[in-house]
Amino acid sequence: MKADEIKKVLIIGSGSMGQQIGAACAISGIAVNMYDVADEVLVTSKERTRKLLGYLVKIGKLKPGEDEQAFLKMSFTADPAEAAEGVDLVSENVPEDPKLKGEVFAKFNKLCPEHAIFTTNTSTLLPSMFADASGRPEKLVALHFHDIRMTDVVDVMPHPGSAKETVELVRDFALRIGQNPIVMHRQSPGYVFNFMLSELFKTAQTLAANEVASVFDVDRAWMGVLHAPIGPFGMMDSVGLDTVWKITDYWAKKLNEPQALKNAAFMKLYVDRGELGQKTGKGFYTYPNPEFTRPGFVKGEYSDKNSK
Ligand SMILES: NC(=O)c1ccc[n+]([C@@H]2O[C@H](COP(=O)([O-])OP(=O)(O)OC[C@H]3O[C@@H](n4cnc5c(N)ncnc54)[C@H](O)[C@@H]3O)[C@@H](O)[C@H]2O)c1
């Protein structure tokens, strides 16, 4: 099979990422079956997908009318057999649990055509964790999306049993749906960008937790030197400080690393105050209109509570 022969895609799990990936495929003229566990869930997914497509028009990623055209390519069903019928590629987007992902792949292995390629959008797991359960390990790779509203970079990550042809096909498929694939040579947790980002978060936290520099000054350095619109702490606010704290704390305890434990404790101060970032209106910055977006921020006109 060639990428341009992919006519129908199945999205398993129609939550926030399922909606985005389904929309990206439909925009490219591919028929999409959105599958989820219950009709009630699908009602919400349908509404949110329509909103997402409308938003893509609003930000100029689509022309008016292209959103409706894309939406017409999408069907929503809670019937697994109907969802799997005639599909050429599957994108799995169920919650981050290796056992669940394995069960889902095993179920759809029985229902999908033999030629269908399986992809997972897992954030932190490795495809080898459910390759055997999928029943078609050679046809399985990770195809990992970021946020299609903001970026068009995806990771293609094989596991040791992925066929070379599968990797090439998924890379070509990513290009076909307007994404820029980063093809990895082998599996590694966190893919490419997220791996770098987690290291950046860690070093930024270390500087602030050790009182080497204030939060605002760390971001000013990053933004000022790179002419970047946001710094590491601004990015943490946008991810959510509860999520960043959970990941920091998990790895700190698992590796029993003193500096990482100190960084987790620093993050927890914000979490305990309910300052979770953009979503709660307060984190390292205040929202809307966070300090780092204001003129004069890089010049040092604002200071935070970690400033001396
Ligand atoms: N949210 C992100 O920023 C992001 C980015 C990249 C990758 N991911 C990964 O994408 C995956 C999905 O994340 P999300 O944020 O879309 O989660 P979500 O909670 O928004 O959606 C998950 C969906 O899966 C459905 N589901 C649960 N069990 C199912 C089953 N057995 N069969 C079919 N559907 C089932 C749920 O009903 C829900 O609609 C996760 O592996 C996550 O790590 C998330």
Side-chain angles (χ1 to χ4, degrees):
M1 186 169 54
K2 295 248 170 9
D4 55 10
E5 289 163 0
I6 294 174
K7 303 276 187 267
K8 202 194 266 187
V9 166
L10 162 62
I11 306 289
I12 308 175
S14 67
S16 42
M17 287 313 294
Q19 291 155 26
Q20 291 202 23
I21 301 170
C25 296
I27 290 164
S28 310
I30 299 168
V32 177
N33 287 352
M34 300 284 286
Y35 168 78
D36 213 300
V37 285
D39 286 329
E40 307 86 77
V41 183
L42 289 163
V43 170
T44 312
S45 306
K46 223 172 176 171
E47 258 169 44
R48 292 197 175 151
T49 306
R50 198 183 265 265
K51 247 192 204 158
L52 166 68
L53 287 162
Y55 180 74
L56 295 177
V57 173
K58 203 170 141 196
I59 60 171
K61 283 207 167 202
L62 291 181
K63 293 198 190 91
E66 285 178 345
D67 52 336
E68 272 307 308
Q69 237 172 320
F71 192 66
L72 290 173
K73 301 291 290 179
M74 305 178 79
S75 7
F76 296 75
T77 178
D79 176 340
E82 189 187 323
E85 204 189 325
V87 301
D88 305 302
L89 185 135
V90 172
S91 170
E92 169 280 308
N93 291 276
V94 302
E96 197 72 342
D97 169 357
K99 190 163 167 277
L100 174 66
K101 288 185 189 281
E103 285 164 7
V104 162
F105 276 127
K107 172 160 127 185
F108 280 94
N109 181 42
K110 294 196 192 105
L111 299 170
C112 290
E114 220 171 282
H115 73 274
I117 299 294
F118 280 7
T119 69
T120 172
N121 185 40
T122 178
S123 309
T124 56
L125 307 171
L126 297 172
S128 61
M129 292 176 180
F130 28 85
D132 287 343
S134 78
R136 50 182 92 189
E138 71 296 342
K139 290 199 173 74
L140 172 78
V141 292
L143 172 59
H144 170 252
F145 289 72
H146 295 274
D147 185 328
I148 67 154
R149 291 166 296 191
M150 298 193 297
T151 168
D152 45 17
V153 170
V154 295
D155 299 283
V156 178
M157 182 165 82
H159 67 93
S162 307
K164 197 167 150 261
E165 299 74 48
T166 306
V167 178
E168 284 166 5
L169 178 59
V170 172
R171 177 201 58 203
D172 293 348
F173 173 73
L175 288 168
R176 187 179 156 202
I177 60 169
Q179 303 296 311
N180 296 310
I182 308 293
V183 180
M184 296 173 66
H185 299 154
R186 60 188 173 83
Q187 63 176 10
S188 173
Y191 302 94
V192 173
F193 179 77
N194 286 356
F195 185 69
M196 293 192 286
L197 188 66
S198 63
E199 291 300 310
L200 175 65
F201 283 4
K202 191 170 150 187
T203 47
Q205 288 163 357
T206 300
L207 287 165
N210 290 347
E211 298 182 3
V212 173
S214 74
V215 163
F216 282 14
D217 283 351
V218 170
D219 279 6
R220 285 177 58 224
W222 186 266
M223 291 167 67
V225 174
L226 293 178
H227 301 285
I230 190 168
F233 287 107
M235 287 190 246
M236 287 185 227
D237 266 0
S238 125
V239 173
L241 300 190
D242 48 344
T243 304
V244 178
W245 167 70
K246 259 186 221 155
I247 298 170
T248 310
D249 189 60
Y250 172 82
W251 285 107
K253 286 182 178 145
K254 195 169 161 95
L255 304 173
N256 196 24
E257 210 179 84
Q259 185 61 54
L261 287 163
K262 197 168 173 187
N263 294 352
F266 171 75
M267 295 300 298
K268 184 126 192 308
L269 296 174
Y270 290 81
V271 175
D272 286 348
R273 288 196 294 262
E275 296 172 4
L276 306 183
Q278 212 171 314
K279 62 186 168 189
T280 57
K282 197 162 169 41
F284 293 114
Y285 295 93
T286 44
Y287 297 86
N289 188 24
E291 293 83 341
F292 67 82
T293 60
R294 298 182 204 164
F297 176 76
V298 174
K299 286 195 189 308
E301 286 178 15
Y302 297 90
S303 54
D304 62 294
K305 52 180 162 276
N306 299 292
S307 305
K308 295 274 175 197

